[in-house]
Amino acid sequence: MTTTLPTSTAAATPTAGPVRRAGRWIDHWDPEDAGFWAAGGQAVARRNLGWSVLAEFLGFCVWALWSVVVPQLNGVGFALTLDQQFWLIAVPSLVGAFLRVPYTFMVPLVGGRNWTIISALLLLLPTLSLAWVVGRPETPFALLLGIAALAGFGGGNFASSMTNISFFFPEAEKGKALGLNAAGGNLGTGIVQLVVPAVIAIGAGIHLERAGLLFVPLVLLAALGAWRGMDNLSTARSDHRSWAKAATHPHTWIISFLYIGTFGSFIGYSAAFPTLLTSQFPEVTTSIAFVGAVLGAASRPLGGTIADRLGGARVTIAAFVVMGLAAGLAILALSAHSFVLFLLAFLVLFTGAGIGNGATYRMIPAVFRAGVRDGAELAIARRSAAGCIGIAGAVGAVGGFLVPRGFAMSTTSFGSLVPAIGVFIAAYVLMAALTWAVYVRRGSRLAGEGI
């Protein structure tokens, strides 16, 4: 007699969608399973992406808030030097860069939904403190600088948001999802420079406190939306080893250096541009400043798309060349005191930086896949690439501090922006040459890898 063994429960049970437990935790998450994805996984992932984009968008708005406020401070009773103004717009970028590291590891520790709520509510600190301090011109500069530094909380949001969303999507859709998440966040830099100047000018006088108060209900909405619409994944694990492995890989630091030139330029120019317009062309309204940041954010996905066709390294080199030429055009504009030429130069700079952002990001997985021979090595390469993305994102954001401080030191020491712009041109030349030598030059180890 033949005995029929019982079929295992796992094999007999059809793939089911996500099952939640208390606290909106999901214990089983397998986006690579087509059945799971179709049975509700995709809907859950997209809903989490939507609320994540909003929270990250507001994070970037708050991160860039002082770029709009600083040019107006002397008009409401403050007496700040140009060097002090550049400190106020540079410090949030530096704080945000450092916060990106711990923010990356908070998602596995407390849950993506929970951390989105917490990180959104933390934005109340910089917004409410800004609303309080702008009405007190007697505030010591050290305290004013400390309050400006709180805006760095907004910069940290990018890291945790990208980490969280990366857990939700399958490999085939992860690039698109992360691209939408990043672009939605970057767009906040331009939107805040468009909306806030109009809001603070409603009615008689300038009402700078509105710059902070405007975001209070939006932050509460984002926190409420995350509470009601997002989920925690218990399967999300903090991969410290991928960061450690990536940190020992020389290409992590090469790409991080390049990312200072692309993303760092974008966030640095975005922060500095309103103040540059005020100091160099006081006859012109700063309300036009938002166009540059919007162009930079919008061109980031374009850079990734072009890089998919032509290779990230080649597009990155082209971006640096364009940025160098545009910076040279800015020098000509300053010598001729031509606002139109200056604006054109910076719009090209923003576009080049945005395209470079997408292209440099596209290089990362290609660099770490180079020479991989089997599935086991591919899994290691993916983890190392993920660690590189986190490190490069933090290091690149330091450029948001270096660019404004470069302008400050240049104007303080030489009375002109030209020396700083000359240094930036030299940096772009160096970065383009390094990219070519390592990833494109015939005879280099990675030249044939399609990077």
Side-chain angles (χ1 to χ4, degrees):
M1 185 175 81
T2 304
T3 303
T4 304
L5 295 175
T7 306
S8 67
T9 304
T13 304
T15 303
V19 178
R20 295 187 183 87
R21 59 178 167 87
R24 293 188 69 95
W25 283 91
I26 297 176
D27 291 325
H28 171 68
W29 186 260
D30 187 10
E32 301 296 343
D33 182 334
F36 175 91
W37 192 242
Q42 183 181 53
V44 170
R46 288 181 174 178
R47 187 179 66 251
N48 277 268
L49 174 61
W51 287 111
S52 177
V53 168
L54 175 61
E56 189 187 339
F57 170 81
L58 292 176
F60 267 84
C61 285
V62 172
W63 201 19
L65 200 51
W66 281 82
S67 72
V68 183
V69 170
V70 167
Q72 308 287 343
L73 287 175
N74 284 350
V76 296
F78 288 82
L80 301 171
T81 66
L82 188 59
D83 181 67
Q84 288 175 324
Q85 292 178 49
F86 277 122
W87 269 114
L88 291 174
I89 61 178
V91 163
S93 292
L94 186 63
V95 173
F98 280 104
L99 285 179
R100 285 186 168 194
V101 177
Y103 267 51
T104 298
F105 297 108
M106 292 308 297
V107 169
L109 285 176
V110 304
R113 165 186 177 263
N114 295 345
W115 182 248
T116 302
I117 296 169
I118 294 168
S119 62
L121 292 176
L122 283 174
L123 298 179
L124 294 174
L125 292 176
T127 52
L128 291 174
S129 60
L130 182 149
W132 174 81
V133 79
V134 293
R136 292 166 172 77
E138 71 281 2
T139 302
F141 179 71
L143 178 57
L144 190 64
L145 188 64
I147 291 175
L150 294 175
F153 281 120
N157 279 14
F158 175 85
S160 56
S161 180
M162 295 289 276
T163 299
N164 184 43
I165 292 305
S166 70
F167 291 121
F168 277 94
F169 284 83
E171 289 296 329
E173 297 188 35
K174 191 172 292 187
K176 180 181 178 181
L178 293 177
L180 288 172
N181 201 45
N186 287 357
L187 192 61
T189 305
I191 296 302
V192 76
Q193 293 178 347
L194 169 65
V195 173
V196 170
V199 171
I200 63 178
I202 295 174
I206 300 174
H207 304 275
L208 284 183
E209 72 281 358
R210 295 176 184 169
L213 296 176
L214 170 66
F215 290 97
V216 172
L218 298 176
V219 165
L220 294 176
L221 173 64
L224 178 63
W227 177 64
R228 293 292 301 273
M230 294 187 72
D231 301 283
N232 301 306
L233 300 180
S234 58
T235 53
R237 293 288 182 265
S238 182
D239 194 355
H240 297 85
R241 287 179 296 179
S242 69
W243 273 64
K245 189 169 183 61
T248 63
H249 202 298
H251 290 286
T252 294
W253 302 106
I254 293 173
I255 291 171
S256 296
F257 177 61
L258 301 180
Y259 206 53
I260 292 175
T262 55
F263 177 74
S265 291
F266 165 72
I267 200 68
Y269 290 139
S270 296
F273 197 41
T275 301
L276 292 180
L277 292 179
T278 301
S279 63
Q280 302 302 311
F281 301 94
E283 70 278 10
V284 176
T285 175
T286 60
S287 60
I288 194 68
F290 80 94
V291 178
V294 169
L295 272 177
S299 58
R300 177 172 181 151
L302 176 63
T305 301
I306 299 173
D308 284 338
R309 289 178 172 271
L310 304 179
R314 288 180 171 81
V315 177
T316 298
I317 292 170
F320 284 133
V321 170
V322 168
M323 292 167 69
L325 293 173
L329 186 62
I331 291 177
L332 293 177
L334 288 171
S335 63
H337 194 73
S338 170
F339 166 71
V340 173
L341 197 59
F342 188 77
L343 177 62
L344 176 63
F346 267 84
L347 294 185
V348 175
L349 265 172
F350 277 110
T351 304
I355 290 174
N357 280 346
T360 306
Y361 237 56
R362 190 269 183 193
M363 289 172 59
I364 295 174
V367 166
F368 283 87
R369 279 199 310 266
V372 169
R373 293 180 294 274
D374 56 41
E377 289 186 355
L378 180 60
I380 295 172
R382 284 175 174 167
R383 288 197 297 270
S384 297
C388 177
I389 287 173
I391 293 171
V395 174
V398 175
F401 172 81
L402 297 177
V403 169
R405 287 310 305 158
F407 284 134
M409 290 186 287
S410 181
T411 53
T412 300
S413 301
F414 302 99
S416 170
L417 298 175
V418 172
I421 297 175
V423 171
F424 299 154
I425 292 173
Y428 297 146
V429 171
L430 174 60
M431 291 170 177
L434 178 63
T435 308
W436 173 81
V438 177
Y439 301 113
V440 177
R441 178 181 56 85
R442 184 176 300 175
S444 64
R445 187 174 68 86
L446 297 177
E449 297 290 342
I451 295 168

